[in-house]
């Protein structure tokens, strides 16, 4: 049995704008990461940095289907897949699925934490893309090692 982490949200923006909000580091650094070595593109690896962690995270095996799907690996045991669905009111349904870990106690904790993390990613993206609000700014300062 494999564990998976899932989250979904509807964003009141066109699918093209939501897609750009995910693949473009200038936008993603406004709501999710603090640094990126580049745009998400098929076959290209990038490095992400988060404001609350000292580590840098390599993002590999990137596959892009414009305005439909983004997938990548940042944990060698899992694949993240973000799908975009254009809805009849021109809004976008965004679904995140990360799966691949074997079922055990440690990985069950991972699945719960990552589901919350992806829900936070989606809420922060919605706030930024719809209203220009940066919910993540200062939200996780308590996690930084001092």
């Amino acid at each position: 049995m494999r564990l998976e982490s899932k989250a979904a949200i509807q964003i009141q923006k066109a699918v093209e704008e939501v897609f750009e909000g995910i693949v473009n580091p200038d936008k993603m650094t406004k709501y999710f990461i603090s640094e990126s070595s580049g745009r998400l593109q098929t076959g290209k690896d990038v490095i992400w940095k988060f404001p609350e962690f000292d580590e840098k995270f390599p993002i590999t095996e990137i596959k892009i289907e414009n305005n439909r799907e983004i997938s990548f690996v940042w944990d060698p045991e899992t694949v993240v897949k973000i799908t975009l669905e254009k809805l009849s009111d021109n809004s976008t349904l965004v679904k995140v699925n990360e799966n691949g870990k074997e079922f055990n106690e440690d990985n069950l904790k991972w699945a719960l934490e990552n589901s919350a993390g992806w829900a936070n990613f989606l809420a922060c993206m919605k706030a930024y893309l719809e209203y220009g609000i940066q919910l993540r700014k200062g939200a996780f300062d308590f996690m930084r090692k001092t």
Side-chain angles (χ1 to χ4, degrees), residues 51-53 116-117 120 124 135-144:
E52 63 271 21
F53 301 114
N120 180 268
C124 290
L135 290 179
R136 208 169 157 83
K137 187 175 183 179
F140 297 101
D141 288 353
F142 69 94
M143 294 175 66
R144 288 197 57 78

Side-chain angles (χ1 to χ4, degrees), residues 105-145:
E105 192 171 318
D106 287 342
N107 290 343
L108 185 57
K109 181 181 176 198
W110 165 88
L112 293 170
E113 289 175 352
N114 276 29
S115 290
W118 286 119
N120 180 268
F121 161 80
L122 291 172
C124 290
M125 180 170 54
K126 179 177 179 67
Y128 176 71
L129 292 178
E130 289 184 12
Y131 305 103
I133 297 169
Q134 296 182 27
L135 290 179
R136 208 169 157 83
K137 187 175 183 179
F140 297 101
D141 288 353
F142 69 94
M143 294 175 66
R144 288 197 57 78
K145 296 176 184 168

